[in-house]
Structure formats: structure tokens, C-alpha cells
């Protein structure tokens, strides 16, 4: 800054004050939000470049796979497809019956979720921040607060949507918390991130609460941020200390936070039960919705 004048210590102090000022402005105001969005757009190509070796490796594995390996994989996929088709038929019958029962109970609307497939292109280098970057952004309809899942459970939510990419905060981050309920009995709790990629903690669980090792925790839908019913975690440890007011409950996330590459962005949409029932009912007769579903 200065060709002649203040010493190195003075310049260092000046830049330190400027840095602290920028941090405070970013934390307590939205003035720098457009700048962050532009920087996110500029950083996207760098994520693609760093991801190039993995893409080349995947291409090589696919290109040079042996004929026998491809044949075995094809047979395995055929068997899996048959199993999944049978399960899909069962789910269609149960869904049709559930829709009819809801109509009888006088429910007016039923949530139907649309999803967008995204690919993970970057991981935060900060070990204290559990966040990832995906290749979908505001131009694809992604918005801040949008739920993100993989094939096994809830992963987190979008916290920053840039034009062509987005940053997703994982549920294990220490700043993240979400309302859950025990799938077995409906007991509600708050699942907090612990900073460990395979661990969540339930906050303020009374010693008398009916919660056991192996219980499945699902999103409760409270707060209107995460849709109800998505798998979140499985209880791994319950420690009840008579000297403490609350139990220590540790759970393992169902989502593969450190391995999943393709993710689902959930768009919550409202389709009426009447419309859903009209789509499902002609395919599955009322008489066959119950007893014939297992055939």
C-alpha cells in the first residue's frame, strides 16, 4: 500500500482491521451476498477441474471392464430389477388404499414431492465445517433451505444457491439441528450435529422417554423445513444417568454422508388426494388392495 511510510506492523494491523470488518459485515448484514454469489460462480469451474481425475478413473473402469464382469453385473441387475418391480407393485396397492382411507377421514391434501437429481462436485476443505458443493443452482430452481437426500436418508439442506452450483450443509455439522420423531412410537426430539460424520445427538431427551437402541428416527415435519417421514438416523446408544436430568442419545445417520455422490433435491408440491386417487385407483382395484398385494 505504501511505498514509504508506516512500518510492516502498522500495515498488518490495518489489513487485520479491514478483515475483521468484512467478517462482521458478512455475519450481520446481507451486503456481501451478491459478492459471495459471484465468487461461488467463479469457483465452480475449479471444483470441476479438481474432480476431473475421478471422472477419468470412472471412465477407465467403465471402458476397460471385462466382458465376464459386465455379464455378471447384468445378471445381478436383472434380478434386482425383478425384486424392485415386485416391491413397487406392493407399494402401489398400499398407496392406493392409503389414499382412499385418507379421503374417508376427510383429509383434503396430500404432499407429493418432486425431486431433482444433482451430483456432488466438491467437499469443504475445512474439517470443522460439514458441507458439500453440488452441480445444481438457482438456474435449476434450487433455493436456500431446500432439503437434500441420498438413496438412504436425509443428508442436509441447501444454505447457498449460486447460479450454477449450490452449497449443502450436512446434518452432522455442529450448527445444524432438525426436528425428528421415533418411527416406532412418535416421540419427538431435536437431532443436532456433533461434528463427526457418522454421529448425531438428540437434545433434551428425558430419562423416562421411551427410546431404544435400534429405533429409526424420521423427520417430523415440524418447522416446515423438512418434509415428514424421511429417514434421518438410527439410535446407536442410549445412556441414562440417574444423576442427570436428560439421557445421552447418540444416533447414526442413515444417509451415506461421506460416500454418496448423486443426491436428490426435494421440491415439496401439493397434489390433492382426489387427483392422486384418480390416478392410482384405476390401476389397483379396491378389492385387491389388501389381500392380493403379497401375491
Amino acid at each position: 500500500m505504501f511505498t514509504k511510510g508506516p512500518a510492516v506492523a502498522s500495515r498488518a494491523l490495518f489489513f487485520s482491521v479491514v478483515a475483521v470488518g468484512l467478517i462482521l459485515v458478512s455475519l450481520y448484514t446481507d451486503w456481501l451476498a451478491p459478492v459471495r454469489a459471484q465468487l461461488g460462480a467463479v469457483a465452480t469451474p475449479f471444483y470441476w477441474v479438481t474432480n476431473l481425475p475421478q471422472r477419468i478413473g470412472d471412465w477407465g473402469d467403465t471402458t476397460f471392464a471385462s466382458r465376464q464382469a459386465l455379464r455378471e453385473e447384468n445378471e445381478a441387475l436383472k434380478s434386482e430389477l425383478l425384486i424392485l418391480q415386485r416391491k413397487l407393485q406392493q407399494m402401489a396397492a398400499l398407496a392406493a388404499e392409503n389414499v382412499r382411507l385418507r379421503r374417508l377421514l376427510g383429509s383434503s391434501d396430500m404432499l407429493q414431492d418432486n425431486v431433482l437429481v444433482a451430483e456432488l462436485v466438491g467437499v469443504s476443505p475445512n474439517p470443522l465445517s460439514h458441507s458439500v458443493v453440488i452441480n445444481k443452482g438457482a438456474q435449476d430452481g434450487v433455493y436456500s433451505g431446500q432439503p437434500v437426500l441420498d438413496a438412504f436418508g436425509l443428508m442436509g439442506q441447501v444454505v447457498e444457491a449460486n447460479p450454477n452450483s449450490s452449497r449443502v450443509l450436512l446434518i452432522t455439522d455442529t450448527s445444524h439441528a432438525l426436528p425428528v420423531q421415533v418411527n416406532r412410537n412418535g416421540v419427538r426430539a431435536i437431532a443436532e450435529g456433533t461434528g463427526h460424520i457418522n454421529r448425531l445427538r438428540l437434545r433434551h431427551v428425558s430419562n423416562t422417554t421411551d427410546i431404544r437402541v435400534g429405533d429409526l428416527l424420521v423427520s417430523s415435519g415440524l418447522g416446515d423445513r423438512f418434509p415428514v417421514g424421511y429417514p434421518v438416523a438410527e439410535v446407536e446408544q442410549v445412556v441414562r444417568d440417574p444423576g442427570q436430568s436428560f439421557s445421552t442419545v447418540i444416533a447414526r445417520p442413515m444417509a451415506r454422508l461421506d460416500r454418496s455422490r448423486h443426491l436428490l433435491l426435494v421440491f415439496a408440491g401439493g397434489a390433492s388426494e382426489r387427483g392422486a386417487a384418480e390416478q392410482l385407483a384405476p390401476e389397483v382395484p379396491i378389492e385387491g388392495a389388501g389381500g392380493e398385494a403379497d401375491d
Side-chain angles (χ1 to χ4, degrees):
M1 280 188 61
F2 308 98
T3 56
K4 296 180 180 180
V8 175
S10 299
R11 284 180 282 177
L13 178 61
F14 173 77
F15 286 116
S16 299
V17 172
V18 172
V20 172
L22 290 175
I23 292 173
L24 294 176
V25 170
S26 177
L27 286 176
Y28 297 104
T29 70
D30 295 330
W31 295 349
L32 297 180
V35 177
R36 287 199 302 269
Q38 294 298 326
L39 291 177
V42 172
T44 300
F46 294 97
Y47 285 112
W48 283 99
V49 171
T50 56
N51 195 39
L52 188 59
Q54 178 66 33
R55 292 177 175 272
I56 294 176
D58 294 341
W59 175 83
D61 293 341
T62 304
T63 304
F64 300 107
S66 66
R67 183 177 180 181
Q68 180 63 26
L70 292 175
R71 182 180 299 170
E72 293 176 356
E73 183 180 4
N74 190 27
E75 293 297 328
L77 290 175
K78 286 181 178 179
S79 301
E80 184 177 357
L81 178 61
L82 291 175
I83 295 174
L84 292 177
Q85 285 177 337
R86 179 178 180 274
K87 290 183 178 180
L88 180 61
Q89 293 172 0
Q90 293 177 331
M91 292 300 296
L94 293 175
E97 184 179 14
N98 190 29
V99 168
R100 287 189 291 270
L101 291 175
R102 285 177 177 269
R103 292 183 63 188
L104 291 175
L105 292 174
S107 299
S108 59
D109 296 318
M110 179 179 65
L111 281 177
Q112 283 190 342
D113 299 328
N114 298 320
V115 296
L116 173 67
V117 179
E119 185 176 3
L120 188 149
V121 296
V123 179
S124 173
N126 184 0
L128 301 180
S129 174
H130 289 192
S131 64
V132 297
V133 177
I134 59 177
N135 65 344
K136 301 295 182 182
Q139 293 181 355
D140 304 294
V142 179
Y143 57 90
S144 181
Q146 186 171 13
V148 180
L149 303 91
D150 67 358
F152 305 94
L154 191 63
M155 287 192 67
Q157 60 178 302
V158 176
V159 293
E160 184 176 337
N162 300 314
N164 298 308
S165 64
S166 300
R167 187 165 67 93
V168 177
L169 188 69
L170 302 181
I171 60 176
T172 52
D173 190 90
T174 53
S175 64
H176 194 279
L178 73 153
V180 298
Q181 65 184 21
V182 179
N183 194 48
R184 175 173 55 86
N185 54 18
V187 170
R188 294 187 296 271
I190 300 296
E192 293 182 322
T194 62
H196 298 277
I197 199 65
N198 290 318
R199 184 182 300 174
L200 295 174
R201 179 185 293 110
L202 298 192
R203 187 204 308 179
H204 300 159
V205 177
S206 172
N207 284 331
T208 59
T209 300
D210 181 15
I211 187 169
R212 310 170 187 169
V213 173
D215 278 344
L216 175 65
L217 304 177
V218 298
S219 55
S220 65
L222 299 179
D224 292 331
R225 176 57 58 90
F226 298 99
V228 63
Y230 285 112
V232 175
E234 180 181 356
V235 177
E236 281 192 335
Q237 183 182 10
V238 180
V239 178
R240 293 182 171 89
D241 186 353
Q244 300 294 330
S245 300
F246 302 104
S247 302
T248 300
V249 182
I250 304 299
R252 175 182 55 83
M254 300 298 295
R256 300 183 179 181
L257 302 179
D258 57 348
R259 284 171 285 177
S260 293
R261 188 176 186 85
H262 293 89
L263 315 177
L264 294 176
L265 296 162
V266 179
F267 296 85
S272 67
E273 291 183 359
R274 183 183 301 274
E278 291 175 353
Q279 294 176 3
L280 291 173
E283 299 178 1
V284 184
I286 295 178
E287 292 80 1
E292 298 180 3
D294 295 330
D295 294 340

